[in-house]
Amino acid sequence: MASKPPADDPVQDAPQVTAVQHAAAGLPAVAHTLRMAQRQMGVRRTAGTLRKVNQKDGFDCPGCAWPEADKRHVAEFCENGAKAVAEEATLRRVTPEFFAAHTVADLAGRSGYWLGQQGRITEPMFLPEGAERYEPVSWERAFGIIAEELKALGSPDEAVFYTSGRTSNEAAFLLQLFAREFGTNNLPDCSNMCHESSGSALTETLGVGKGSVSLDDLHQADLIIVAGQNPGTNHPRMLSALEKAKAAGARIISVNPLPEAGLERFKNPQTPKGLVKGTALTDLFLQIRIGGDQALFRLLNKLIVETEGAVDEDFVRTHTHGYEEFAAAARAADWDETLAATGLARSDIERALRMILASERTIVCWAMGLTQHKHAVPTIREVVNLLLLRGAVGRPGAGVCPVRGHSNVQGDRTMGIFERPAPAFLDALDREFGISSPRHHGYDVVRAIQALRDGRAKVFFAMGGNFVGATPDTEVTEAAVRRARLTVHVSTKLNRSHAVTGTRALILPTLGRSDKDVQAGAPGKRGTVRFVTVEDSMGLVHASRGNLPPASPWLLSEPAIVARMARAVLGDASATPWEDFERDYATIRDRIARVIPGFEDFNARLAANPGGFALPHAPRDERRFPTATGKANFTAAPVEYPKVPEGRLLLQTLRSHDQYNTTIYGLDDRYRGIKGGRRVVLVHPDDARALGLADGAYADLVSEWTDGTERRAPGFRVVHYPTARGCAAAYYPETNVLVPLDATADISNTPASKSVVIRLEQSPAD
Ligand SMILES: Nc1nc2c(c(=O)[nH]1)N[C@H]1C(S)=C(S)[C@@H](COP(=O)(O)OP(=O)(O)OC[C@H]3O[C@@H](n4cnc5c(=O)[nH]c(N)nc54)[C@H](O)[C@@H]3O)O[C@H]1N2
Ligand SMILES: Nc1nc2c(c(=O)[nH]1)N[C@H]1C(S)=C(S)[C@@H](COP(=O)(O)OP(=O)(O)OC[C@H]3O[C@@H](n4cnc5c(=O)[nH]c(N)nc54)[C@H](O)[C@@H]3O)O[C@H]1N2
Ligand SMILES: [Mo]
């Protein structure tokens, strides 16, 4: 067994500052990976487990959604994927004895890091009304409690079913089916806080809310713009793709307020040359002010429109709608305003323009740096405008590449985890199952919190994730969740959401990706090993098969949990064969094949294609744009950017190198030179000096919202750091307390976690 985690909270958040790094991966990453993995799993399990990650006969990495190349490497994972696997495959256990020793109040006083370090949850646990501790409960009783509470509701819309993006296609399909049979579209998911803005922007402009490029396209591109994304930490395998594109002559523009090590230089640990020297990736670094991207892309579009021969007129005429109106708006873009909004030099923007005009195959990649702003949707539409002007959609080596987060967040949405489902989807579901799904929209994440806060929602069920940890406005959200009658979490590991509960609470422990999912055979017969499927960021669907003995014999798989819950709640009123679904996931896939376009002959195609198969994508495959106009739409929203009052900074809340969302692996952020603590705020040295804050001073972060309310996160070490002027950065989830619940993106309602106006108040003791 691996060593037991320390009994006391080990978190002494005392950040130290070392040198900022200018290259990602390389030998230190390999050493770091093995150390982290062995601490959780021991030496033998580490080797056996990591060998199976992302292999055709293995399991899908529970880290990010970046796709695998068809030809797999023996070690098809990255440092952070290995950490994600080690967290899940850990030998540490959270048993009923653990819960007997720790009251819920005690757990609520612990850091998220400490909670996660305790290990895998082994048995279903129940917190009765008024009790101080969770106690063990049978699965049957647990489902009975859920049924009691759901049946006692005045309306099915008083229940909320949240999904985090690790859930398999099979479990997600069952969960949305259950919710709709029960009678609600209240199916918020982590995507509401993540790429919802991308989905909104792409559906309107291109007709499909997903990326339009494959890994091969990336390799063939001659210009890749990476805007608002930190792949060195969050999608490390993307660096191999960028390296390959560069080797074939591509150029790369990075648009980011921070110089991120992974975009500067990549030391590929899979090649000897890579390990030592590495490849410089970025050709042009546009160090943009937070929230300046719409202005930047609008100005670039103006320059393209005004340059003779720069617009792909054939493409625009044949495939697009709204060019004239857009071109007029673009021509009105103003240099001075753009320079103020972006903080960039004119010469840099002109250089970017020359690179764009020289490119025949352009791809734009983006992530949370573009999606989590008030004006995120028009920002992404402006990116689309640029690609449309250049005819760079539906052509090899060109297109849109929103880089998705959780490993199956895209698949969950494809399966119908969505609070605003398309009528055609519900029609197909109703036909297949003989049900009548509700047609009115449900709650997304922010609306679910508001409903809990206002007493309109009373039962909260979460398929994975860490709802109170990941959502904005921590104090408001926690108070909202505490008002629920019942909170239920299907989880692998402990997190803050298990300590902030409704009147009654359940923890339902489940199998993770790496766990072997065995369906017991008939007496005397061997059981069968089941697999599930996932969809990556580029629309490839493939199987995922765990290979480790499960963390405990009492775990149920996610599909089994949904199926049993459905039987307990719906009883004989449901004609859906829930028992068959639990026994044989192939029967779920047969239904998916009949309900969801692109999954025809699902089981047969999986068998025929061990590496997976690609879902259809009309713009990519046939330059067909299933939008309202039947064409790709230019859009011309007014340009917006955050205005920051004197003496204030614009804070972005982001990820360190040692975390996976709210799961904290460790207290270092190696590439940014931070060690041993997470309560740091990165500020440009000139801004810090102007505010009278020395490097190493301590300050409270105070956010100021338009309604006059203030929110405070105390005790952050000020680190002088080369971010863009006027901007600051600090880690999430510690800073979620600063993000007002009402501060969301227009249209997508995504929390604006990347543009929070703050002031820094030096700590009195300092
Ligand atoms: N190891 C690891 N991998 C992960 C995750 C993890 O936590 N850990 N999380 C997963 C998930 S769910 C997701 S969604 C992705 C997240 O992947 P990212 O989006 O890369 O994650 P963030 O840390 O939020 O980084 C945002 C980046 O955008 C930049 N940025 C911030 N504001 C702006 C802006 O206004 N304009 C521009 N141009 N740039 C800006 C920041 O400086 C930073 O580089 O990663 C996934 N992969
Ligand atoms: N301020 C701020 N807030 C943000 C963001 C930000 O950049 N800034 N980013 C947002 C983004 S992009 C996202 S995606 C969300 C993330 O929101 P969530 O997806 O809700 O959060 P995670 O931290 O990824 O969830 C971790 C928990 O998932 C459970 N888990 C892990 N694996 C499994 C599994 O296989 N099955 C089940 N059932 N449970 C499992 C474990 O119990 C673990 O503690 O946070 C959002 N919140
Ligand atoms: Mo995400």
Side-chain angles (χ1 to χ4, degrees), residues 63-64 80 194-195 227-231 233-236 255-258 260 288-293 367-370 372-373 403-406 652-657 659-661 665 672 732 754:
C64 73
N80 276 342
C194 183
H195 267 293
Q229 193 202 346
N230 177 21
T233 285
N234 298 312
H235 306 90
V255 188
N256 204 307
L258 293 172
E260 302 283 31
I288 197 164
R289 277 179 56 113
I290 290 173
D293 303 80
M368 298 304 100
L370 295 200
Q372 297 176 333
H373 296 285
V403 183
R404 307 299 300 248
H406 266 303
Q652 60 153 321
T653 61
L654 80 181
R655 293 153 172 80
S656 84
H657 195 62
Q659 74 182 86
Y660 193 94
N661 298 340
Y665 302 137
R672 298 193 185 111
Y732 120 86
K754 294 283 189 282

Side-chain angles (χ1 to χ4, degrees), residues 162 164 166 406 466 470 490 493 495 558 653 662 732 736:
Y162 172 73
S164 163
R166 282 196 188 178
H406 266 303
N466 177 5
V490 179
K493 305 206 49 188
N495 62 48
E558 292 180 349
T653 61
T662 69
Y732 120 86
N736 287 34

Side-chain angles (χ1 to χ4, degrees), residues 192-353:
N192 297 145
M193 300 181 269
C194 183
H195 267 293
E196 197 68 62
S197 305
S198 309
S200 301
L202 295 175
T203 307
E204 187 192 339
T205 53
L206 301 180
V208 178
K210 301 181 183 181
S212 76
V213 300
S214 68
L215 211 43
D216 275 345
D217 289 321
L218 245 111
H219 298 154
Q220 293 170 37
D222 62 14
L223 177 66
I224 302 171
I225 302 178
V226 183
Q229 193 202 346
N230 177 21
T233 285
N234 298 312
H235 306 90
R237 285 176 306 129
M238 178 175 165
L239 300 184
S240 311
L242 294 180
E243 183 186 41
K244 198 162 166 187
K246 284 230 60 160
R251 302 215 278 167
I252 295 177
I253 301 177
S254 304
V255 188
N256 204 307
L258 293 172
E260 302 283 31
L263 287 168
E264 291 182 62
R265 180 171 285 275
F266 172 47
K267 295 190 170 178
N268 189 341
Q270 293 173 343
T271 64
K273 169 185 169 265
L275 266 185
V276 183
K277 231 171 124 253
T279 311
L281 292 180
T282 293
D283 297 282
L284 174 62
F285 174 38
L286 297 180
Q287 187 162 31
I288 197 164
R289 277 179 56 113
I290 290 173
D293 303 80
Q294 190 197 3
L296 169 66
F297 280 92
R298 177 64 59 85
L299 187 84
L300 288 168
N301 288 338
K302 164 198 172 88
L303 301 174
I304 294 170
V305 166
E306 290 175 351
T307 303
E308 183 75 30
V311 175
D312 182 340
E313 287 177 11
D314 250 14
F315 177 84
V316 168
R317 200 176 322 112
T318 321
H319 295 291
T320 71
H321 175 269
Y323 173 74
E324 286 309 329
E325 201 186 320
F326 164 70
R331 284 194 192 95
D334 179 64
W335 265 105
D336 289 339
E337 188 181 23
T338 309
L339 297 182
T342 60
L344 296 171
R346 183 172 178 130
S347 56
D348 279 342
I349 299 182
E350 286 170 344
R351 222 181 123 202
L353 176 73

